[in-house]
């Protein structure tokens, strides 16, 4: 199924670490928006959040939290029509 044919030009992916890491590893991302809470989760089964490498384009304070915006410098213009070929 081709998303571009359906008129879809952008896609928001919200998920757990496995899903997000799959998109990162396949270089299928243009921008990451990472919210960092002021509250730590100290749980024995907690996992680290995905950490995409890219160009920092902004940080914003939102209440007690921080929003960090990172652009993918390698793949900033990757066409969304390749998403249907991804193995995620």
């Amino acid at each position: 199924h081709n998303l571009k044919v359906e008129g879809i030009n952008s896609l928001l992916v919200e998920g757990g670490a496995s899903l997000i890491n799959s998109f990162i590893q396949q270089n299928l991302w243009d921008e990451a928006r990472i919210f960092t809470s002021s509250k730590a989760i100290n749980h024995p089964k907690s996992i680290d959040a995905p950490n995409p490498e890219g160009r920092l384009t902004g940080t914003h304070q939102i209440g007690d939290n921080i929003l960090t915006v990172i652009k993918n410098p390698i793949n900033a213009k990757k066409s969304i029509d390749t998403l249907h070929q991804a193995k995620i």
Side-chain angles (χ1 to χ4, degrees):
H1 187 43
N2 191 319
L3 297 175
K4 190 162 185 103
V5 170
E6 298 294 326
I8 299 171
N9 295 312
S10 65
L11 180 68
L12 170 67
V13 177
E14 291 184 307
S18 295
L19 178 64
I20 300 299
N21 279 326
S22 177
F23 274 82
I24 292 169
Q25 290 167 358
Q26 294 183 62
N27 205 31
L28 294 172
W29 67 284
D30 297 325
E31 179 180 273
R33 293 179 173 252
I34 302 165
F35 287 91
T36 305
S37 174
S38 60
K39 297 178 182 173
I41 299 174
N42 294 317
H43 189 277
K45 293 186 179 181
S46 65
I47 59 172
D48 291 333
N51 188 17
E53 294 184 17
R55 181 174 49 92
L56 178 65
T57 61
T59 57
H60 309 278
Q61 183 85 34
I62 301 174
D64 292 337
N65 306 310
I66 302 290
L67 168 62
T68 304
V69 182
I70 299 173
K71 296 277 188 180
N72 183 345
I74 297 169
N75 195 29
K77 296 293 180 187
K78 184 153 186 128
S79 174
I80 195 165
D81 60 4
T82 62
L83 286 173
H84 74 282
Q85 300 170 357
K87 295 176 182 174
I88 38 181

